[in-house]
Amino acid sequence: MNPKRCAACKYLRRRCPKDCIFAPYFPPNDPAKFACIHRIYGAGNVSKMLQQLPEQTRAEAVESLCFEAKCRVDDPVYGCVGIIHLLQTQIQNAQNELAKTQAEVAVAQTNLSQTQNSDF
């Protein structure tokens, strides 16, 4: 048994076994991380997901689950899809602004070249 329980085992009020699936990803000094994930997915589901993944991808999966859970807590209806939509809208607006600016530059260059040609 670990002398310091991981955040997951502390939250679940259980002993932290030596081979705890949660221990590497939920350190004892960050209990909010597990609490958020547990609230959305449940400890059993997270444990099953982590066991099905190769060990080298588990840390990234935990970070993804944490991000998605925080988004779902902040916006229960849309979750991270709301953020994705917002970012896509910002990208579209930036592309439209860029196209408009490029068109204005092209018009200005055309006017400049016509002015230079008429001066000769």
Side-chain angles (χ1 to χ4, degrees):
M1 187 171 80
N2 288 339
K4 289 188 174 184
R5 295 184 297 168
C6 67
C9 290
K10 279 184 182 179
Y11 186 87
L12 298 171
R13 296 182 181 156
R14 67 179 193 188
R15 293 178 189 222
C16 193
K18 199 184 303 185
D19 61 342
C20 179
I21 188 102
F22 298 122
Y25 316 107
F26 301 104
N29 60 350
D30 192 6
K33 184 177 181 180
F34 180 77
C36 188
I37 290 177
H38 179 267
R39 180 176 173 190
I40 300 300
Y41 299 106
N45 290 329
V46 174
S47 175
K48 288 175 193 173
M49 283 188 253
L50 291 177
Q51 288 172 350
Q52 291 176 356
L53 292 172
E55 206 165 313
Q56 63 270 14
T57 61
R58 289 179 183 173
E60 192 174 336
V62 167
E63 293 305 314
S64 179
L65 287 172
C66 185
F67 176 75
E68 290 176 24
K70 285 179 182 177
C71 289
R72 184 61 64 182
V73 167
D74 292 342
D75 185 356
V77 176
Y78 294 107
C80 62
V81 174
I83 292 173
I84 292 168
H85 178 70
L86 176 68
L87 292 173
Q88 286 176 334
T89 302
Q90 289 176 351
I91 290 169
Q92 186 62 47
N93 290 342
Q95 288 173 336
N96 291 342
E97 186 69 26
L98 177 63
K100 181 181 173 185
T101 304
Q102 287 173 333
E104 289 173 357
V105 168
V107 168
Q109 286 176 338
T110 303
N111 289 342
L112 180 64
S113 68
Q114 288 177 353
T115 304
Q116 288 175 348
N117 287 340
S118 65
D119 288 342
F120 290 114

